[in-house]
PDB file of all heavy atoms in Angstrom:
ATOM      1  N   GLU L 294      -7.037   9.635   6.216  1.00 88.00           N
ATOM      2  CA  GLU L 294      -8.408   9.056   6.201  1.00 88.00           C
ATOM      3  C   GLU L 294      -8.429   7.617   6.568  1.00 88.00           C
ATOM      4  O   GLU L 294      -9.304   7.173   7.303  1.00 88.00           O
ATOM      5  CB  GLU L 294      -8.992   9.322   4.796  1.00 88.00           C
ATOM      6  CG  GLU L 294     -10.390   8.752   4.649  1.00 88.00           C
ATOM      7  CD  GLU L 294     -10.917   8.893   3.213  1.00 88.00           C
ATOM      8  OE1 GLU L 294     -10.221   9.525   2.374  1.00 88.00           O
ATOM      9  OE2 GLU L 294     -12.022   8.370   2.969  1.00 88.00           O
ATOM     10  N   ARG L 295      -7.498   6.816   6.028  1.00 88.00           N
ATOM     11  CA  ARG L 295      -7.602   5.375   6.206  1.00 88.00           C
ATOM     12  C   ARG L 295      -6.755   4.825   7.363  1.00 88.00           C
ATOM     13  O   ARG L 295      -6.934   3.677   7.777  1.00 88.00           O
ATOM     14  CB  ARG L 295      -7.132   4.678   4.892  1.00 88.00           C
ATOM     15  CG  ARG L 295      -7.964   5.092   3.725  1.00 88.00           C
ATOM     16  CD  ARG L 295      -7.610   4.184   2.531  1.00 88.00           C
ATOM     17  NE  ARG L 295      -8.537   4.466   1.416  1.00 88.00           N
ATOM     18  CZ  ARG L 295      -8.608   3.707   0.310  1.00 88.00           C
ATOM     19  NH1 ARG L 295      -7.798   2.611   0.196  1.00 88.00           N
ATOM     20  NH2 ARG L 295      -9.415   4.017  -0.672  1.00 88.00           N
ATOM     21  N   LEU L 296      -5.796   5.605   7.839  1.00 89.00           N
ATOM     22  CA  LEU L 296      -4.932   5.125   8.902  1.00 89.00           C
ATOM     23  C   LEU L 296      -5.000   5.900  10.179  1.00 89.00           C
ATOM     24  O   LEU L 296      -5.073   5.337  11.276  1.00 89.00           O
ATOM     25  CB  LEU L 296      -3.470   5.074   8.426  1.00 89.00           C
ATOM     26  CG  LEU L 296      -3.209   4.239   7.189  1.00 89.00           C
ATOM     27  CD1 LEU L 296      -1.740   4.379   6.720  1.00 89.00           C
ATOM     28  CD2 LEU L 296      -3.486   2.784   7.443  1.00 89.00           C
ATOM     29  N   TRP L 297      -5.008   7.220  10.053  1.00 89.00           N
ATOM     30  CA  TRP L 297      -4.996   8.022  11.305  1.00 89.00           C
ATOM     31  C   TRP L 297      -6.360   8.034  11.993  1.00 89.00           C
ATOM     32  O   TRP L 297      -6.416   7.912  13.239  1.00 89.00           O
ATOM     33  CB  TRP L 297      -4.575   9.441  11.008  1.00 89.00           C
ATOM     34  CG  TRP L 297      -4.700  10.356  12.179  1.00 89.00           C
ATOM     35  CD1 TRP L 297      -5.594  11.402  12.325  1.00 89.00           C
ATOM     36  CD2 TRP L 297      -3.994  10.293  13.450  1.00 89.00           C
ATOM     37  NE1 TRP L 297      -5.503  11.949  13.581  1.00 89.00           N
ATOM     38  CE2 TRP L 297      -4.484  11.316  14.270  1.00 89.00           C
ATOM     39  CE3 TRP L 297      -2.985   9.422  13.910  1.00 89.00           C
ATOM     40  CZ2 TRP L 297      -3.963  11.528  15.547  1.00 89.00           C
ATOM     41  CZ3 TRP L 297      -2.508   9.679  15.215  1.00 89.00           C
ATOM     42  CH2 TRP L 297      -3.018  10.698  15.940  1.00 89.00           C
ATOM     43  N   GLU L 298      -7.458   8.111  11.221  1.00 88.00           N
ATOM     44  CA  GLU L 298      -8.782   8.104  11.813  1.00 88.00           C
ATOM     45  C   GLU L 298      -9.089   6.799  12.563  1.00 88.00           C
ATOM     46  O   GLU L 298      -9.540   6.858  13.700  1.00 88.00           O
ATOM     47  CB  GLU L 298      -9.840   8.383  10.723  1.00 88.00           C
ATOM     48  CG  GLU L 298      -9.740   9.790  10.242  1.00 88.00           C
ATOM     49  CD  GLU L 298     -10.835  10.096   9.187  1.00 88.00           C
ATOM     50  OE1 GLU L 298     -11.633   9.153   8.909  1.00 88.00           O
ATOM     51  OE2 GLU L 298     -10.877  11.195   8.633  1.00 88.00           O
ATOM     52  N   PRO L 299      -8.758   5.583  12.019  1.00 87.00           N
ATOM     53  CA  PRO L 299      -8.973   4.366  12.843  1.00 87.00           C
ATOM     54  C   PRO L 299      -8.091   4.317  14.051  1.00 87.00           C
ATOM     55  O   PRO L 299      -8.504   3.893  15.155  1.00 87.00           O
ATOM     56  CB  PRO L 299      -8.646   3.253  11.870  1.00 87.00           C
ATOM     57  CG  PRO L 299      -8.865   3.828  10.513  1.00 87.00           C
ATOM     58  CD  PRO L 299      -8.449   5.230  10.640  1.00 87.00           C
ATOM     59  N   LEU L 300      -6.849   4.800  13.958  1.00 87.00           N
ATOM     60  CA  LEU L 300      -5.919   4.827  15.127  1.00 87.00           C
ATOM     61  C   LEU L 300      -6.480   5.833  16.165  1.00 87.00           C
ATOM     62  O   LEU L 300      -6.465   5.523  17.397  1.00 87.00           O
ATOM     63  CB  LEU L 300      -4.545   5.258  14.703  1.00 87.00           C
ATOM     64  CG  LEU L 300      -3.533   5.485  15.813  1.00 87.00           C
ATOM     65  CD1 LEU L 300      -3.329   4.210  16.619  1.00 87.00           C
ATOM     66  CD2 LEU L 300      -2.197   5.959  15.269  1.00 87.00           C
ATOM     67  N   GLU L 301      -7.010   6.991  15.708  1.00 87.00           N
ATOM     68  CA  GLU L 301      -7.527   7.937  16.630  1.00 87.00           C
ATOM     69  C   GLU L 301      -8.755   7.389  17.379  1.00 87.00           C
ATOM     70  O   GLU L 301      -8.909   7.695  18.584  1.00 87.00           O
ATOM     71  CB  GLU L 301      -7.890   9.224  15.895  1.00 87.00           C
ATOM     72  CG  GLU L 301      -8.149  10.427  16.774  1.00 87.00           C
ATOM     73  CD  GLU L 301      -8.375  11.677  15.951  1.00 87.00           C
ATOM     74  OE1 GLU L 301      -8.719  11.563  14.758  1.00 87.00           O
ATOM     75  OE2 GLU L 301      -8.218  12.806  16.486  1.00 87.00           O
ATOM     76  N   SER L 302      -9.575   6.652  16.709  1.00 86.00           N
ATOM     77  CA  SER L 302     -10.737   6.054  17.344  1.00 86.00           C
ATOM     78  C   SER L 302     -10.350   5.038  18.402  1.00 86.00           C
ATOM     79  O   SER L 302     -10.955   4.879  19.470  1.00 86.00           O
ATOM     80  CB  SER L 302     -11.664   5.432  16.338  1.00 86.00           C
ATOM     81  OG  SER L 302     -11.028   4.364  15.699  1.00 86.00           O
TER      82      SER L 302
END
Side-chain angles (χ1 to χ4, degrees):
E294 177 184 356
R295 300 191 175 190
L296 300 176
W297 173 248
E298 291 182 1
L300 174 61
E301 194 175 20
S302 63

